Amino acid sequence: MIIGCEIGFWVLLGLGLATRYLWRMRRLSTALLIAVPLLDVILLAAAVIDIRGGAEANWRHGLAAGYLAYSIVFGHRTLRWADQRFAHRFAGGPPPWKPPPGGMARARYEWTMWLRTVLACAIAAVLLYGLAWLVGDWSRTTALLEFGGVLPRIVVIALLWPLSYTLFPKKVPSEADVPGGPSAPETAGSNGGVSSGETGVSHASTSEAAGFKWTPRS
């Protein structure tokens, strides 16, 4: 069931983007993309039915809660990530957004992602303990509680990334170090800095792709 839902996630995502940008069927693509996160709801519902039917909980049931928590927190970002790349590759869209290359901007980005990870783990914990409560037999839901015990470790491990970028920030190339920057005669007056250029792209691509409003070039 878990493997089937994982495969279905990428199949629906691919079909949704293909119908939007290749076949220009916007309504159908919207329906397919909306159905993507519903797979995780179906997976968790199947886990509840399975356990309440007498089955003993195992790591697969815990993973179902984890998948749903991921979809709630990161699902939209995953759809936007795929949408930007598909639009850029097949519809002449702007280059996909990239995280800041370094400096404090990258540190802030990593802290934001860590906070999202904390939120996802918190939601997963609520779902796990809620599932155990629904079953009402703690002897059959030990695996769910053990799965929940892994979540704090994920939070601690994920903390290494924002800490590393904060304590040891990666140097951002200056405008003078960037090839074709303002120091070059043919590009004088342009936004030669890597950071500013990527920021300009990010606002455009994010605002369009976040709402799936990118219009392909004719």
Side-chain angles (χ1 to χ4, degrees):
M1 186 69 176
I2 292 177
I3 297 177
C5 286
E6 183 67 16
I7 294 175
F9 175 91
W10 293 107
V11 169
L12 285 177
L13 180 57
L15 287 176
L17 295 176
T19 53
R20 178 174 296 270
Y21 293 111
L22 300 182
W23 306 321
R24 310 295 178 84
M25 303 170 67
R26 189 174 184 84
R27 291 185 178 179
L28 177 58
S29 71
T30 300
L32 290 171
L33 293 173
I34 291 176
V36 171
L38 293 180
L39 285 176
D40 295 320
V41 178
I42 295 174
L43 181 60
L44 183 63
V48 173
I49 295 173
D50 188 34
I51 298 178
R52 288 182 65 87
E56 184 174 350
N58 53 43
W59 65 271
R60 296 180 183 86
H61 300 101
L63 194 59
Y67 272 131
L68 181 56
Y70 176 88
S71 292
I72 293 173
V73 179
F74 293 101
H76 185 69
R77 294 180 65 91
T78 302
L79 292 177
R80 187 174 61 192
W81 174 88
D83 181 79
Q84 290 178 350
R85 281 153 182 78
F86 204 96
H88 179 62
R89 175 66 177 81
F90 297 102
W97 178 86
K98 294 181 180 181
M104 291 309 299
R106 182 56 182 264
R108 285 192 295 269
Y109 168 82
E110 295 295 339
W111 280 110
T112 300
M113 295 302 295
W114 181 76
L115 290 175
R116 288 179 178 272
T117 301
V118 173
L119 178 59
C121 289
I123 293 174
V126 171
L127 292 174
L128 288 170
Y129 286 97
L131 180 57
W133 177 80
L134 284 175
V135 173
D137 185 354
W138 297 102
S139 64
R140 290 192 295 114
T141 56
T142 303
L144 297 179
L145 304 180
E146 292 177 349
F147 194 94
V150 177
L151 299 176
R153 303 177 193 174
I154 296 176
V155 171
V156 173
I157 293 174
L159 185 60
L160 297 177
W161 274 265
L163 283 178
S164 64
Y165 278 98
T166 301
L167 299 177
F168 309 101
K170 183 178 179 182
K171 182 180 178 181
V172 180
S174 62
E175 293 183 350
D177 297 332
V178 177
S183 58
E186 64 274 13
T187 58
S190 63
N191 290 330
V194 170
S195 178
S196 60
E198 290 187 348
T199 302
V201 171
S202 69
H203 288 304
S205 58
T206 301
S207 61
E208 291 172 332
F212 301 103
K213 296 180 180 178
W214 169 248
T215 302
R217 295 176 181 173
S218 58

